[in-house]
Amino acid sequence: MTSSTSTSTSLPSAHSQPQTQRRMNRLPSPTSMLLPKALSLNNKGVSLLAKGNQDNAAAGCFSNALVLLNRVMQAEEKRASHDASSSNDDDGNDIKLKRIPLSGFSSNNGNNDDDDNDLHEYNDSFIYKKAIIIPFHVQNGSLLMCSTTKEALSIYSASIMMNFGLCYHRQFMQHQQPAYKKKARPMYNTVCQTLQSSNHIIAMRLRVVALNNMALLPLNDVQKNNNNCMALQELESLLMVSSSNKIFTEPSSSFRLSSGTIKRMIMNIAILSSLNNANVMYRTAAAA
């Protein structure tokens, strides 16, 4: 009898591989196939936004990226429910984001991510103007430089939605058409809802910039003004936490907000709160 022999290739131990790579090596389709496509579409959309005249094409990229990312999140949720061993093996500390200031919000066309260049002054208020790139790298079929925890996927989804909101917000500023405002506000609101229960430092910073921009969009009716007041209250609450423990300004991770940015956002709250109070007083007087 002829004995069968098999040839095996010696592989490095799991402990010798980076944590993120080990996790991605275990990921089946559609995650390993769709997540790089989703992130690539987001980054392409940001590149189009940075050019300043291709907002519609950028919106298409963000829309398609969200569709793919939603499929990834559903697949990961289903996989986790069927496989107890698929629980996340990191705490999300490897979530990295890069930001690019958009030229349509100011005269600065640079690609620098300096922390003192976060806001654009517009009508005596300050708009957060940086689009978000999600860095990743594919090597030998593995996705690197990218976390795949449930929390990370939520942050990526919110980042794409934030870019979507910036796209429409800039179009509203340029064309003053209410349709763009109506599209931008739900995007910012979805960012806040997606990250509402997360205490991750990047999630909290994303909520702050989304709330800031949502509060700056003009409103026309009482119900929306009430929603705007709620957004201002939530923004104020988050910023007061920031002032006490510096969770937004410390340079411990990507997406740092400078102390100057925080101060200008607090100025927004003061200005917008005064305007809202004046509107309430006007409506009360008119109804008397």
Side-chain angles (χ1 to χ4, degrees):
M1 178 181 296
T2 303
S3 61
S4 61
T5 60
S6 61
T7 303
S8 61
T9 302
S10 177
L11 296 175
S13 65
H15 296 288
S16 68
Q17 301 179 49
Q19 192 175 56
T20 304
Q21 183 173 350
R22 295 203 311 270
R23 181 172 62 256
M24 284 307 304
N25 285 339
R26 296 197 302 268
L27 288 176
S29 297
T31 301
S32 58
M33 295 175 57
L34 298 184
L35 185 53
K37 293 181 180 179
L39 302 186
S40 180
L41 279 169
N42 172 74
N43 296 348
K44 179 181 178 181
V46 172
S47 178
L48 292 170
L49 276 185
K51 293 180 179 179
N53 59 353
Q54 300 191 42
D55 287 352
N56 290 335
C61 288
F62 298 141
S63 178
N64 291 332
L66 287 169
V67 170
L68 293 179
L69 190 54
N70 186 55
R71 289 174 60 185
V72 169
M73 296 173 74
Q74 290 176 347
E76 284 300 289
E77 184 176 353
K78 183 177 180 180
R79 185 169 72 97
S81 66
H82 287 83
D83 183 6
S85 66
S86 68
S87 59
N88 296 320
D89 54 11
D90 75 283
D91 58 4
N93 286 332
D94 54 347
I95 301 175
K96 302 296 181 184
L97 302 177
K98 180 181 178 182
R99 301 170 296 163
I100 291 181
L102 299 181
S103 60
F105 284 106
S106 75
S107 58
N108 182 1
N109 292 313
N111 290 334
N112 56 309
D113 188 14
D114 60 288
D115 299 315
D116 292 324
N117 191 31
D118 288 339
L119 303 175
H120 168 58
E121 186 172 359
Y122 179 77
N123 286 349
D124 297 324
S125 58
F126 298 93
I127 300 170
Y128 186 84
K129 65 177 182 180
K130 286 186 177 178
I132 302 166
I133 287 178
I134 306 171
F136 72 97
H137 177 63
V138 177
Q139 180 178 336
N140 297 328
S142 296
L143 182 62
L144 309 178
M145 297 172 57
C146 181
S147 177
T148 57
T149 64
K150 180 179 179 181
E151 186 166 51
L153 294 176
S154 295
I155 287 175
Y156 297 153
S157 177
S159 298
I160 299 171
M161 198 68 69
M162 183 70 197
N163 290 337
F164 225 153
L166 285 171
C167 178
Y168 290 132
H169 199 154
R170 183 171 67 176
Q171 287 180 302
F172 172 70
M173 290 171 55
Q174 292 174 342
H175 306 293
Q176 294 297 308
Q177 295 181 3
Y180 292 124
K181 174 185 64 177
K182 293 178 181 178
K183 290 180 178 180
R185 281 187 62 86
M187 300 300 176
Y188 293 142
N189 189 50
T190 302
V191 173
C192 300
Q193 292 179 344
T194 300
L195 304 176
Q196 185 70 38
S197 60
S198 176
N199 290 321
H200 193 286
I201 189 169
I202 293 180
M204 296 181 71
R205 291 170 179 178
L206 271 169
R207 283 173 59 200
V208 162
V209 297
L211 284 166
N212 179 79
N213 282 13
M214 182 168 64
L216 291 174
L217 290 170
L219 302 169
N220 297 319
D221 56 65
V222 174
Q223 182 179 4
K224 289 183 178 179
N225 272 297
N226 290 337
N227 291 339
N228 207 49
C229 290
M230 293 173 62
L232 284 173
Q233 291 171 2
E234 184 177 354
L235 177 60
E236 182 177 12
S237 176
L238 285 170
L239 291 181
M240 292 306 100
V241 172
S242 168
S243 64
S244 62
N245 58 22
K246 300 183 179 180
I247 60 174
F248 297 144
T249 58
E250 62 181 13
S252 59
S253 67
S254 63
F255 214 123
R256 175 183 179 272
L257 299 176
S258 70
S259 58
T261 293
I262 299 299
K263 290 177 181 178
R264 290 180 179 90
M265 288 184 175
I266 292 174
M267 290 173 60
N268 282 342
I269 295 173
I271 294 171
L272 293 171
S273 295
S274 298
L275 289 175
N276 285 340
N277 290 336
N279 287 335
V280 171
M281 294 175 64
Y282 176 80
R283 289 195 301 270
T284 301

